[in-house]
Amino acid sequence: MAGQQYIPGASDTAPLPRVGAAPPPAPPRRPHPALQAGVLVLVAVVSGLIWWLIRHDSGVAGQPAAAPREDPLTSGEFHYVTASGPETSTDCAGNAYGDVAGWFAEHPCERVVRALYSTESAGARALVSVVVVTMPSAAEAQRLKVITDTEGTGNVNDLVRDGTANLPGAPQVAGGEYESRSAGRELTIVECAFFDGHSDDALLARIAEDALKLSAALR
């Protein structure tokens, strides 16, 4: 037949390949084992990096990151500037006066922290005393609150009263607005008064209540 070479003894049904025909395709080559290992290592590194970024971005995987802690000096209705302190002591009796000092002599505190702050509103400037007393138990903190809340029983000295702070023109906060709050073993006591003889009872009461949050700055 034309185009084919006849070989004696060969089957007429099995023609030889044409001269110049392309060889059959080579079988696919498998990747080298070292290359496969390198790819797996790269995938593991990338996965680990993504996991690290997720954890450090959200705190704990699957949970939102914790909100930044608020600054008690600026997070409320009024903004405060530290004027003196904080002063820390374990001698509450020695830093108190009146019946409160006598009560401390029989019921020692664990710690007392005192500080002074100033704040301004509507052109009026106020001095604020914040005292945080830590008692051995919540029951004792509550009993102390009852005593300090009672008129004429004394209190814990603020830093102006005992002479620790020397602030020109500072008002006597012990004769001003009073506020207190007990939480667990802690009692927070706030006293405040205006500079320069300013008078605004409603504003001073708002400052005293707002300043209770300043206890967070004394812990």
Side-chain angles (χ1 to χ4, degrees):
M1 298 176 64
Q4 293 185 348
Q5 182 180 2
Y6 178 78
I7 301 176
S11 173
D12 291 340
T13 62
L16 292 175
R18 295 181 180 180
V19 177
R29 297 179 60 187
R30 293 185 178 181
H32 194 278
L35 180 60
Q36 287 183 314
V39 171
L40 293 176
V41 170
L42 180 60
V43 171
V45 170
V46 173
S47 299
L49 178 60
I50 294 174
W51 178 250
W52 184 90
L53 290 174
I54 292 174
R55 288 181 61 88
H56 284 72
D57 181 61
S58 62
V60 178
Q63 297 183 7
R69 182 181 177 184
E70 291 185 339
D71 184 352
L73 273 67
T74 59
S75 61
E77 180 181 1
F78 303 96
H79 288 191
Y80 303 86
V81 175
T82 303
S84 182
E87 299 285 339
T88 303
S89 174
T90 57
D91 183 12
C92 282
N95 287 286
Y97 61 96
D99 295 342
V100 174
W103 190 85
F104 275 131
E106 298 180 359
H107 306 84
C109 71
E110 290 187 355
R111 187 178 73 158
V112 57
V113 186
R114 302 175 296 156
L116 290 174
Y117 302 91
S118 65
T119 185
E120 293 189 30
S121 179
R125 182 168 172 243
L127 183 65
V128 182
S129 167
V130 181
V131 175
V132 177
V133 180
T134 304
M135 298 300 298
S137 68
E140 287 178 299
Q142 184 59 43
R143 286 199 292 270
L144 175 61
K145 183 180 188 303
V146 172
I147 297 172
T148 59
D149 286 355
T150 304
E151 188 73 25
T153 58
N155 207 331
V156 177
N157 280 317
D158 61 81
L159 297 179
V160 172
R161 182 185 175 91
D162 69 3
T164 300
N166 182 17
L167 304 177
Q172 294 295 322
V173 294
E177 189 69 27
Y178 171 90
E179 194 67 65
S180 70
R181 180 175 62 197
S182 63
R185 299 187 300 118
E186 289 185 350
L187 173 65
T188 301
I189 300 169
V190 171
E191 294 176 297
C192 57
F194 286 116
F195 285 87
D196 304 322
H198 183 82
S199 179
D200 187 335
D201 293 343
L203 175 59
L204 199 60
R206 283 165 50 206
I207 292 173
E209 183 177 1
D210 182 70
L212 285 170
K213 74 176 184 302
L214 295 178
S215 62
L218 301 183
R219 293 192 180 99

